[in-house]
Amino acid sequence: MMKENPYAPRYSRRDFAKFVGSGIVVFFTAQGHAQAPKGKMPGFGPPAGESDWNAYLRIGEDGRVTVFSGKVEMGQANTTALAQMAAEELAVSVDSIDMVMGDTALCPWDMGTFGSMSVRVYGAALRSAAAEAREILLELGSERLSLPVTGLKAENGEVAGSGKRVAYGELARGQKIARKAARKPALHTPAEFRVIGQPVERLDGRAKVTGAAKYTGDLRFPGMLYAAVLRPPAHGATLKTIDTSEAEKVPGVRLVREEGLVALLAEDPETARLARSKVKAEYDVPSVDVDHNSIFTYLLEKAPKPQPQERRGDLAEGEKAAVQIFEHAYYNGYGAHAPMEPHTALARMEGDTLTVWLSTQTPFMAQPQIASQLKMAPEKVRVIPPHLGGAFGGKSITNEAHEAARLAVVTGRPVMVAFDRREEFFYDAFRPAAIVKIRSGVDSAGKICLWDYEVYYAGNRSAEQFYDVPHNLMRVYGGWMGMPGTHPFNTGTWRAPGANINVFARESQVDIMAAHLRADPLEFRLQNTSDARMRRVLEEAAKRFGYSPAPAPSRRGIGMACGIDAGSYVAEIAEVAVDGGRIAVRRVTAAQEMGVSVNPKGSVMQMEGCITMGLGYTLTEDIEFEGGKILTTNFHQYRIPRFSMLPKIDAFLVKNDALDPQGGGEPAVVPVGGAIANALFDATGVRAFHMPMTPQRVRAAAENPKTAK
């Protein structure tokens, strides 16, 4: 089960041994980007003096196993998969595992939950620690049963041998054994798996569907106040004049005005917002001559110097070998994360200690930031992430936590700052607008001989070349964060950062070459890649879809795309119908090979979620703005996929137990745009170069294909 601790007593990690009491505790370290070992990533590693372990598990006297992890559950079901991995090596049931996640007072430091790394990086270390714990239990069992360790085995929460048994809880009773894993016992092999690989219901599923799960916005404390903070009309705007006299007349309202912060507080959010609406404020708004229509020209003019990558062969030689050159540019506007749960923070001071309940992917990053702002010692600030209602990379910036913390200190009362939908869109760290330019060529044998790839503001994720191209070069002009001052507002990570446009561009370009040669798109891809994993997912997807070869445009409305992300391979085939420029996706077949799937049911659910979310960035989701003014303010303008939009989704896993678990939270989102764009071309002969592919853009592309973008 997932253990909730919103009201748990406060414990210092250094006092952890006192907290855990008796039992068996195993400390371990998950080395990887998310953990940022000290000295590897300046500014991102754990604070000086922190331990070099970043997770631990405890076996209690009741036989239950508690895993303390700095990772966060935000809807991706990593809690369930991680519990399965621990249960597998400890030879216990998943139901006997409790997961405590992300609490900065209880859990070890962790950089954050992102990049599809919870299972493939942290999970691998957790398995090793659980195996170490199993070995300790066998040694204790040997002493208790007076039997040699070699004659014992761990099963069903017991150590057993020669007709004798002793439960783990009995072995842990009265023990105070805390140790760091020093060696790696043999892990269970795929042939031995009893828990890993089994479809398991989500541990938090019942709580979420019954409403029992608590999100930050659900929490209530005596004396609590809700804050409505005055917001500027545009990014970069500065307050010129303000009149709060009418707002202060609203009964029950308290005004807090400090440097850079004007907040109206009340015992209910409606009153606080009513008071905010009565504030008269004038701003100086900077003039920035760029909007959602001119942004691509603007960005190209400000592009930084390129970083060459994946250089192979010589582009000039590739051009000589080509019988046909293809040159196109691809575009993607800004995208919002649009989580169901807006950013919310609740802060409460008790004595000299501040507790912040916060909807965040990065509690251990938020903790020192809040402490620094308040000039408090970091250990005096505790951050607790309750259940998160979606994040998708957008919950690492935590301005609302800083505001709630300041207001809690000023008022001496618990204060909640919860963004409304307009605030959520305004302060989002958007997926950046990006451009990809590709110049490619095919030789007389129909092989890709030239690939000159330039990507602006999306980075190189999933742009790595897996086609067999002898003359290849990728140039990267900035990543998804952008240089300071590049974008008119914040940008950041969005599910598989940058990968969506990279795969959309590459797979569209490949389809263009196949169509020119009158080659079937699947056969052309197979002819040009020797990557065994990619060939396999393509072939499995085609088989499951019932695909029959035909050059595009065949007027069937069938398109495909494939990609690699977080170590997993994915191929998707989409079928669409087009009416008046409006694309209706009828079905999507998706094959994913991700090494060992810890929870196949959870993996397929992640794929289905990826495809659903992919429909949004492909067809409808776009941010409109003028300079720093965000014109898109709510879901009537920002159209995320509705149920009526959803196609029949057939997502399945391609088995590969020879490979450790790879990422599962993001890979299936990356080919969606390319598959639908290629299906559009197959249906109509119209090529779309600009996502989202709105009816207006599709009609414009049909009317004038040479200028379409």
Coordinates of all heavy atoms in Angstrom, one line a residue, residues 437-481:
K437 N 14.9 21.5 -39.0 CA 15.2 21.5 -40.4 C 15.9 20.3 -40.8 O 16.9 19.9 -40.1 CB 16.0 22.8 -40.8 CG 15.2 24.1 -40.5 CD 16.1 25.3 -40.9 CE 15.4 26.6 -40.6 NZ 16.2 27.8 -41.0
I438 N 15.5 19.6 -41.8 CA 16.1 18.4 -42.3 C 16.4 18.5 -43.8 O 15.6 18.8 -44.6 CB 15.3 17.1 -42.0 CG1 14.8 17.1 -40.6 CG2 16.1 15.9 -42.4 CD1 13.9 15.9 -40.2
R439 N 17.7 18.1 -44.1 CA 18.1 18.0 -45.5 C 18.5 16.5 -45.7 O 19.5 16.1 -45.1 CB 19.2 19.0 -45.9 CG 19.5 19.1 -47.3 CD 20.3 20.4 -47.6 NE 20.5 20.6 -49.0 CZ 21.6 20.2 -49.6 NH1 22.6 19.6 -49.0 NH2 21.7 20.4 -50.9
S440 N 17.8 15.8 -46.5 CA 18.1 14.3 -46.6 C 18.2 13.9 -48.1 O 17.7 14.7 -48.9 CB 17.1 13.5 -45.9 OG 15.8 13.6 -46.5
G441 N 18.7 12.8 -48.3 CA 18.8 12.3 -49.7 C 18.8 10.8 -49.8 O 19.1 10.1 -48.8
V442 N 18.3 10.3 -50.9 CA 18.3 8.8 -51.2 C 19.2 8.5 -52.4 O 19.3 9.4 -53.3 CB 16.9 8.3 -51.4 CG1 16.1 8.3 -50.1 CG2 16.2 9.1 -52.5
D443 N 19.8 7.4 -52.4 CA 20.7 7.0 -53.5 C 19.9 6.2 -54.6 O 18.7 5.9 -54.4 CB 21.9 6.3 -53.1 CG 21.6 5.0 -52.4 OD1 20.5 4.4 -52.5 OD2 22.5 4.5 -51.6
S444 N 20.5 5.7 -55.6 CA 19.8 5.0 -56.6 C 19.3 3.7 -56.2 O 18.4 3.1 -56.9 CB 20.8 4.8 -57.8 OG 21.9 4.1 -57.4
A445 N 19.7 3.1 -55.1 CA 19.2 1.9 -54.5 C 18.1 2.1 -53.5 O 17.6 1.1 -52.9 CB 20.3 1.1 -53.9
G446 N 17.6 3.3 -53.4 CA 16.6 3.6 -52.4 C 17.0 3.6 -51.0 O 16.2 3.5 -50.1
K447 N 18.3 3.8 -50.8 CA 18.8 3.9 -49.4 C 19.1 5.3 -49.0 O 19.5 6.1 -49.8 CB 20.1 3.1 -49.3 CG 20.0 1.6 -49.7 CD 19.5 0.8 -48.7 CE 20.5 0.5 -47.6 NZ 20.0 -0.5 -46.6
I448 N 18.8 5.6 -47.7 CA 19.1 7.0 -47.3 C 20.6 7.2 -47.2 O 21.3 6.4 -46.5 CB 18.5 7.2 -45.9 CG1 17.0 6.9 -45.9 CG2 18.7 8.6 -45.4 CD1 16.3 6.9 -44.5
C449 N 21.1 8.1 -47.9 CA 22.6 8.3 -47.9 C 23.0 9.7 -47.3 O 24.2 9.9 -47.1 CB 23.0 8.3 -49.4 SG 22.3 9.5 -50.5
L450 N 22.0 10.5 -47.0 CA 22.3 11.9 -46.5 C 21.3 12.2 -45.4 O 20.1 12.0 -45.6 CB 22.3 12.9 -47.6 CG 22.4 14.4 -47.2 CD1 23.7 14.7 -46.6 CD2 22.0 15.3 -48.4
W451 N 21.8 12.7 -44.3 CA 20.9 13.2 -43.2 C 21.6 14.4 -42.5 O 22.5 14.2 -41.7 CB 20.7 12.1 -42.2 CG 19.6 12.3 -41.2 CD1 19.7 12.8 -39.9 CD2 18.1 12.2 -41.5 NE1 18.4 12.9 -39.4 CE2 17.5 12.5 -40.3 CE3 17.4 11.8 -42.6 CZ2 16.1 12.5 -40.2 CZ3 16.0 11.8 -42.5 CH2 15.4 12.1 -41.3
D452 N 21.1 15.6 -42.8 CA 21.6 16.8 -42.2 C 20.5 17.4 -41.4 O 19.5 17.9 -41.9 CB 22.0 17.8 -43.4 CG 22.7 19.1 -42.8 OD1 22.9 19.2 -41.6 OD2 23.0 19.9 -43.7
Y453 N 20.7 17.3 -40.1 CA 19.6 17.5 -39.1 C 19.9 18.7 -38.2 O 20.9 18.7 -37.6 CB 19.4 16.3 -38.3 CG 18.1 16.2 -37.4 CD1 17.0 15.7 -37.9 CD2 18.2 16.7 -36.1 CE1 15.8 15.6 -37.1 CE2 17.0 16.7 -35.3 CZ 15.9 16.1 -35.8 OH 14.8 16.0 -35.0
E454 N 19.0 19.7 -38.2 CA 19.2 20.9 -37.4 C 18.0 21.0 -36.5 O 16.8 21.1 -37.0 CB 19.4 22.2 -38.2 CG 20.6 22.2 -39.1 CD 20.7 23.4 -39.9 OE1 19.8 23.6 -40.8 OE2 21.6 24.2 -39.7
V455 N 18.2 21.1 -35.2 CA 17.0 21.2 -34.2 C 17.3 22.5 -33.4 O 18.3 22.7 -32.8 CB 16.9 20.0 -33.4 CG1 18.1 19.5 -32.7 CG2 15.7 20.2 -32.4
Y456 N 16.2 23.3 -33.3 CA 16.3 24.6 -32.6 C 15.4 24.5 -31.3 O 14.2 24.3 -31.4 CB 15.8 25.7 -33.4 CG 16.7 26.0 -34.7 CD1 16.6 25.2 -35.8 CD2 17.6 27.0 -34.7 CE1 17.4 25.4 -36.9 CE2 18.4 27.2 -35.8 CZ 18.3 26.4 -36.9 OH 19.1 26.6 -38.0
Y457 N 15.9 24.6 -30.1 CA 15.2 24.8 -28.9 C 14.5 23.5 -28.4 O 13.6 23.6 -27.5 CB 14.2 26.0 -29.0 CG 14.8 27.3 -29.4 CD1 14.7 27.7 -30.7 CD2 15.6 28.0 -28.5 CE1 15.3 28.9 -31.1 CE2 16.3 29.2 -28.9 CZ 16.1 29.6 -30.2 OH 16.7 30.8 -30.6
A458 N 14.8 22.4 -28.9 CA 14.2 21.2 -28.4 C 15.2 20.2 -27.9 O 14.9 19.2 -27.3 CB 13.4 20.5 -29.5
G459 N 16.5 20.4 -28.1 CA 17.5 19.5 -27.7 C 17.5 18.2 -28.6 O 16.8 18.2 -29.6
N460 N 18.3 17.2 -28.2 CA 18.5 16.1 -29.1 C 17.7 14.8 -28.7 O 17.9 13.8 -29.3 CB 20.0 15.7 -29.1 CG 20.5 15.3 -27.8 OD1 19.8 15.3 -26.8 ND2 21.8 14.9 -27.7
R461 N 16.8 15.0 -27.7 CA 16.2 13.7 -27.1 C 15.4 13.1 -28.2 O 14.6 13.7 -28.9 CB 15.3 14.1 -26.0 CG 14.6 12.9 -25.3 CD 14.1 13.2 -24.0 NE 13.3 12.0 -23.4 CZ 12.9 12.0 -22.2 NH1 13.2 12.9 -21.3 NH2 12.2 10.9 -21.8
S462 N 15.6 11.8 -28.4 CA 14.9 10.9 -29.4 C 15.3 11.3 -30.8 O 14.6 10.8 -31.8 CB 13.4 10.9 -29.2 OG 13.1 10.4 -28.0
A463 N 16.2 12.2 -31.0 CA 16.7 12.5 -32.4 C 17.8 11.7 -32.8 O 18.3 11.7 -34.0 CB 17.1 14.0 -32.5
E464 N 18.3 10.8 -31.9 CA 19.5 10.0 -32.3 C 19.1 9.1 -33.5 O 18.0 8.6 -33.6 CB 19.9 9.1 -31.1 CG 20.2 9.8 -29.8 CD 19.0 10.1 -28.9 OE1 17.8 10.0 -29.4 OE2 19.2 10.5 -27.8
Q465 N 20.1 8.9 -34.4 CA 19.9 8.3 -35.6 C 19.9 6.7 -35.5 O 20.9 6.2 -35.0 CB 21.0 8.7 -36.6 CG 20.7 8.1 -38.0 CD 19.4 8.6 -38.7 OE1 18.4 8.0 -38.5 NE2 19.5 9.7 -39.4
F466 N 18.8 6.1 -35.9 CA 18.9 4.6 -35.9 C 18.7 4.1 -37.3 O 18.6 2.8 -37.5 CB 17.8 4.0 -34.9 CG 16.4 4.5 -35.2 CD1 15.6 3.9 -36.2 CD2 15.8 5.5 -34.5 CE1 14.4 4.3 -36.5 CE2 14.5 5.9 -34.7 CZ 13.8 5.3 -35.8
Y467 N 18.5 4.9 -38.3 CA 18.5 4.5 -39.6 C 20.0 4.4 -40.1 O 20.9 5.1 -39.6 CB 17.7 5.5 -40.5 CG 16.2 5.4 -40.3 CD1 15.6 6.5 -39.6 CD2 15.5 4.3 -40.7 CE1 14.2 6.4 -39.3 CE2 14.1 4.3 -40.4 CZ 13.5 5.3 -39.7 OH 12.1 5.3 -39.5
D468 N 20.2 3.5 -41.0 CA 21.6 3.3 -41.5 C 22.0 4.3 -42.5 O 22.0 4.1 -43.7 CB 21.7 1.9 -42.1 CG 21.3 0.8 -41.1 OD1 21.5 1.0 -39.9 OD2 20.7 -0.3 -41.5
V469 N 22.4 5.5 -42.0 CA 22.8 6.6 -42.9 C 24.3 6.8 -42.9 O 24.8 7.1 -41.8 CB 22.0 7.9 -42.5 CG1 22.4 9.0 -43.4 CG2 20.5 7.6 -42.4
P470 N 25.0 6.6 -44.0 CA 26.4 6.8 -43.9 C 27.0 8.2 -43.7 O 28.1 8.4 -43.2 CB 26.9 6.2 -45.3 CG 25.7 6.4 -46.2 CD 24.5 6.2 -45.3
H471 N 26.2 9.2 -44.2 CA 26.6 10.6 -44.0 C 25.6 11.3 -43.2 O 24.5 11.7 -43.7 CB 26.8 11.2 -45.4 CG 27.7 10.4 -46.3 ND1 29.1 10.3 -46.1 CD2 27.4 9.6 -47.4 CE1 29.6 9.5 -47.0 NE2 28.7 9.0 -47.8
N472 N 26.0 11.5 -42.0 CA 25.0 12.0 -41.0 C 25.6 13.1 -40.1 O 26.7 13.0 -39.7 CB 24.6 10.8 -40.1 CG 23.5 11.1 -39.1 OD1 22.3 11.0 -39.4 ND2 23.9 11.5 -37.9
L473 N 24.8 14.1 -39.8 CA 25.2 15.1 -38.9 C 24.0 15.7 -38.2 O 23.0 16.1 -38.9 CB 26.0 16.3 -39.6 CG 26.4 17.4 -38.7 CD1 27.4 17.0 -37.6 CD2 27.0 18.6 -39.5
M474 N 24.0 15.9 -36.9 CA 23.0 16.6 -36.2 C 23.6 17.8 -35.5 O 24.6 17.8 -34.9 CB 22.4 15.7 -35.1 CG 21.3 16.4 -34.2 SD 20.3 15.3 -33.2 CE 21.5 14.3 -32.3
R475 N 22.9 19.0 -35.7 CA 23.3 20.2 -35.1 C 22.2 20.7 -34.1 O 21.1 20.9 -34.6 CB 23.7 21.3 -36.1 CG 25.0 21.0 -36.7 CD 25.3 21.9 -37.9 NE 24.5 21.4 -39.1 CZ 24.7 21.8 -40.3 NH1 25.6 22.8 -40.6 NH2 24.1 21.2 -41.3
V476 N 22.5 20.9 -32.9 CA 21.6 21.3 -31.9 C 21.7 22.8 -31.5 O 22.8 23.2 -31.0 CB 21.7 20.4 -30.6 CG1 20.7 20.8 -29.5 CG2 21.6 18.9 -31.0
Y477 N 20.7 23.6 -31.8 CA 20.7 25.0 -31.5 C 19.9 25.2 -30.2 O 18.8 25.7 -30.2 CB 20.1 25.8 -32.6 CG 20.9 25.7 -33.9 CD1 20.8 24.6 -34.7 CD2 21.7 26.7 -34.4 CE1 21.4 24.5 -35.9 CE2 22.3 26.7 -35.6 CZ 22.2 25.5 -36.4 OH 22.9 25.4 -37.6
G478 N 20.5 24.9 -29.1 CA 19.8 25.2 -27.8 C 18.8 24.1 -27.4 O 18.3 23.3 -28.3
G479 N 18.6 23.9 -26.1 CA 17.8 22.9 -25.6 C 16.4 23.4 -25.2 O 16.1 24.6 -25.5
W480 N 15.6 22.6 -24.5 CA 14.3 23.0 -24.2 C 14.2 24.1 -23.1 O 13.1 24.7 -23.0 CB 13.4 21.8 -23.7 CG 14.2 20.8 -23.0 CD1 14.7 19.6 -23.5 CD2 14.5 20.8 -21.6 NE1 15.3 18.9 -22.4 CE2 15.2 19.6 -21.3 CE3 14.2 21.7 -20.5 CZ2 15.6 19.3 -20.0 CZ3 14.6 21.3 -19.3 CH2 15.3 20.2 -19.0
M481 N 15.2 24.4 -22.4 CA 15.2 25.5 -21.4 C 15.4 26.8 -22.1 O 14.9 27.8 -21.7 CB 16.2 25.3 -20.3 CG 16.0 24.2 -19.4 SD 14.5 24.4 -18.4 CE 15.0 25.7 -17.3

